[in-house]
Amino acid sequence: MSLEVLPEHALHQRFEDLKGVEHHKNELITELLRRMDSLSNEYQQMSLDHQRETQFNRDGQVREHQLKNELRKLQSFMDRDPFVSVLIDGDGMIFEDELIGKGELGGKEAATKLWNAIKDHMHEKLPDIPSECIIVTRIYANLKGLADVCYKSGIVERTSTIEDFYRGFTGSKILFDFVDVGHGKDRADEKITELFKLHLSDYHCHHIYFGCSHDNGYARLLEQYTEPTLTTRITLVEGVPFEKELKLLQSQYSSVRFDDLFRPGKINIYNASQPVPSQSIRTSSDASRVPFYQSPYQPMIGDSNPSPAPSNNTSAMNPKASSWASTATAAAQLVSPPATPSPAASQPVSSKDIPRNKYGQRVDPPVVYDKEVVNRVRNLKLCNVHFLRKDCQYSPCSHDHYYKITKNELTSLKSIARNVPCYFGSECDDPKCIYGHK
């Protein structure tokens, strides 16, 4: 078989054709290799990303588990020791006379009654509060002033009975406390206000029972918390009827009255049928008398249980006071001091002349005084009642009645007297009252 001999140019053509095929083959191989390298890099990157995501998910699951444990612990901590706060201004929210008269036993009985009343109210009106809620009670008051008022009004025979009462109240329950704030204007108010704010922002405190019905000043506090989420956590406790401004806010809060626990009316240190005398009642035989007027915040002078005045009104002023005969016998044993100079008779002042604001609250006119004179007058131990009211009933009186006081000193003495708050506050209607009013 003979082979066909191709022309030379044909061989060259075929060679060129083969070269083109080889070129396309090389290009294909090169492209494939490039794509393979790219995919390999992408795979490596995705593999790293996948490993990172896997690690992140694993760490996230571990962290989620830790957070859930912490949340459970935190929730358990927040649910621990739930309590209800009972805040009472004891200067105006005063327990019933029968309880106070029993002294320490009455204090224990009052604490038990209050605890039971709060528990019953929570069960009936606040079912969302845990049944194991602790009741924390704080009563703030001026113990000395309160004791003097209760003694003068005949509720107790001795001022120490009030101390016994609150000792029994405090000792009956671990978290029931009476706090004596001492003398000074707004001391009880300030402490109660700050504790109210603290407990209202405390998650553990589920509810606040607020005993403040006698004082319009607390309206300023309550006006700051009118959001429904807050008002539902507050219950106003009524003793005496709510004052005017508190009455306006009462619709925004729930309120409760605990019968047979707190007095429904204010204490009147004078008999209802007997007006406050404006002049001293002097007899030849009474060397020891109970003053008809004395601020409950002014310390008693001399004996903490002075003998009652031998007058027909003594039994009305203090039904538990000693008899006239025993008083006269005790008075006879005293040596009367030189007669106190009788001050010039002052013009009678009507309660209508008392300055009041648009809400009917008593306001004290401003007094301009010299601090140096005030400091000097403080050390003189002058009798405030004698120089400012002109009707001191003490005989003998341990404070000076004979000092020749100047006009500036009298003004300073008036300023000093106003530092002692009047028990009746802005509701006081005694035209001759020398003490401070809100």
Side-chain angles (χ1 to χ4, degrees):
M1 179 178 180
S2 60
L3 296 174
E4 182 182 358
V5 179
L6 297 175
E8 184 177 346
H9 66 277
L11 293 173
H12 284 282
Q13 182 61 41
R14 292 181 64 183
F15 175 70
E16 292 296 329
D17 294 338
L18 288 175
K19 284 176 60 179
V21 171
E22 189 69 20
H23 175 71
H24 289 299
K25 182 188 72 172
N26 291 338
E27 286 185 345
L28 176 61
I29 294 174
T30 302
E31 177 67 19
L32 292 174
L33 292 175
R34 186 183 64 78
R35 290 188 180 184
M36 185 187 69
D37 292 340
S38 177
L39 291 173
S40 178
N41 291 335
E42 290 180 4
Y43 170 77
Q44 292 178 2
Q45 184 63 40
M46 291 181 67
S47 179
L48 292 175
D49 291 344
H50 176 71
Q51 293 177 6
R52 185 164 52 250
E53 291 293 333
T54 301
Q55 184 64 37
F56 178 79
N57 290 337
R58 186 179 296 110
D59 293 343
Q61 291 175 353
V62 172
R63 180 60 177 164
E64 180 183 8
H65 182 70
Q66 293 175 345
L67 290 176
K68 285 182 177 179
N69 288 337
E70 292 179 8
L71 182 60
R72 280 193 293 268
K73 291 179 182 179
L74 181 60
Q75 188 65 46
S76 175
F77 174 78
M78 295 178 73
D79 291 339
R80 275 170 40 192
D81 299 328
F83 72 92
V84 167
S85 176
V86 182
L87 302 177
I88 298 174
D89 186 336
D91 286 334
M93 293 282 294
I94 302 174
F95 288 95
E96 286 283 2
D97 298 357
E98 181 182 355
L99 294 172
I100 292 179
K102 294 179 182 179
E104 187 168 347
L105 291 177
K108 293 180 179 180
E109 183 179 345
T112 300
K113 281 189 171 184
L114 180 60
W115 190 89
N116 290 333
I118 296 294
K119 276 291 186 181
D120 292 342
H121 185 267
M122 288 167 52
H123 178 72
E124 295 175 6
K125 304 295 184 180
L126 305 170
D128 294 335
I129 294 181
S131 58
E132 68 274 14
C133 242
I134 302 169
I135 300 176
V136 180
T137 301
R138 296 287 184 274
I139 300 179
Y140 294 90
N142 173 7
L143 181 61
K144 183 63 172 66
L146 182 60
D148 287 348
V149 169
C150 290
Y151 171 77
K152 288 165 59 180
S153 62
I155 297 175
V156 296
E157 295 179 351
R158 303 183 308 276
T159 55
S160 60
T161 303
I162 300 298
E163 297 179 9
D164 296 338
F165 174 84
Y166 280 113
R167 186 183 303 113
F169 181 89
T170 301
S172 64
K173 304 287 182 183
I174 296 177
L175 295 177
F176 275 43
D177 295 311
F178 172 83
V179 181
D180 180 11
V181 299
H183 301 285
K185 188 176 182 181
D186 295 338
R187 286 192 176 182
D189 302 34
E190 292 170 353
K191 289 181 179 293
I192 290 176
T193 296
E194 292 305 314
L195 196 58
F196 176 90
K197 294 177 180 178
L198 180 65
H199 285 178
L200 193 61
S201 60
D202 189 338
Y203 181 86
H204 298 277
C205 180
H206 288 251
H207 204 78
I208 296 177
Y209 287 88
F210 197 26
C212 62
S213 63
H214 64 287
D215 192 342
N216 273 322
Y218 290 111
R220 308 287 84 75
L221 172 65
L222 295 173
E223 286 172 350
Q224 303 176 36
Y225 305 101
T226 55
E227 298 86 353
T229 54
L230 297 177
T231 56
T232 54
R233 294 178 56 203
I234 302 169
T235 294
L236 304 182
V237 180
E238 183 177 10
V240 301
F242 285 106
E243 292 293 340
K244 182 178 180 181
E245 294 183 50
L246 290 171
K247 192 74 174 178
L248 297 175
L249 291 172
Q250 189 180 0
S251 61
Q252 301 181 44
Y253 299 87
S254 60
S255 61
V256 62
R257 174 188 286 277
F258 298 134
D259 295 329
D260 302 325
L261 192 56
F262 295 104
R263 287 177 58 92
K266 295 182 178 179
I267 294 178
N268 185 1
I269 59 176
Y270 308 108
N271 183 267
S273 61
Q274 173 185 333
V276 180
S278 60
Q279 296 181 354
S280 303
I281 300 177
R282 301 181 182 276
T283 63
S284 58
S285 62
D286 72 341
S288 176
R289 295 186 291 270
V290 173
F292 284 106
Y293 177 88
Q294 180 179 355
S295 167
Y297 292 103
Q298 181 183 14
M300 296 291 288
I301 303 174
D303 188 2
S304 62
N305 296 315
S307 301
S311 67
N312 293 332
N313 291 326
T314 301
S315 60
M317 292 287 291
N318 188 347
K320 299 181 181 179
S322 58
S323 66
W324 183 91
S326 62
T327 302
T329 301
Q333 299 174 359
L334 299 176
V335 178
S336 300
T340 300
S342 299
S346 58
Q347 295 295 328
V349 183
S350 170
S351 60
K352 296 181 180 180
D353 298 328
I354 297 175
R356 298 184 181 274
N357 59 21
K358 63 180 182 179
Y359 301 108
Q361 299 169 323
R362 180 168 182 165
V363 294
D364 295 322
V367 175
V368 180
Y369 58 88
D370 188 325
K371 290 185 179 180
E372 294 184 0
V373 177
V374 168
N375 293 332
R376 178 162 51 81
V377 171
R378 286 184 191 276
N379 297 325
L380 295 177
K381 303 297 182 182
L382 303 178
C383 177
N384 295 353
V385 177
H386 171 71
F387 286 103
L388 299 178
R389 284 185 61 92
K390 305 187 184 302
D391 60 359
C392 178
Q393 302 294 317
Y394 283 106
S395 179
C397 178
S398 62
H399 286 64
D400 192 354
H401 285 205
Y402 305 96
Y403 182 78
K404 293 183 179 181
I405 193 168
T406 66
K407 183 178 180 180
N408 287 341
E409 290 172 337
L410 189 64
T411 301
S412 298
L413 188 64
K414 183 182 296 184
S415 173
I416 294 172
R418 284 189 184 175
N419 288 331
V420 180
C422 174
Y423 180 79
F424 299 103
S426 60
E427 304 300 322
C428 177
D429 58 2
D430 179 7
K432 296 178 65 177
C433 183
I434 63 177
Y435 302 103
H437 306 87
K438 292 184 180 178

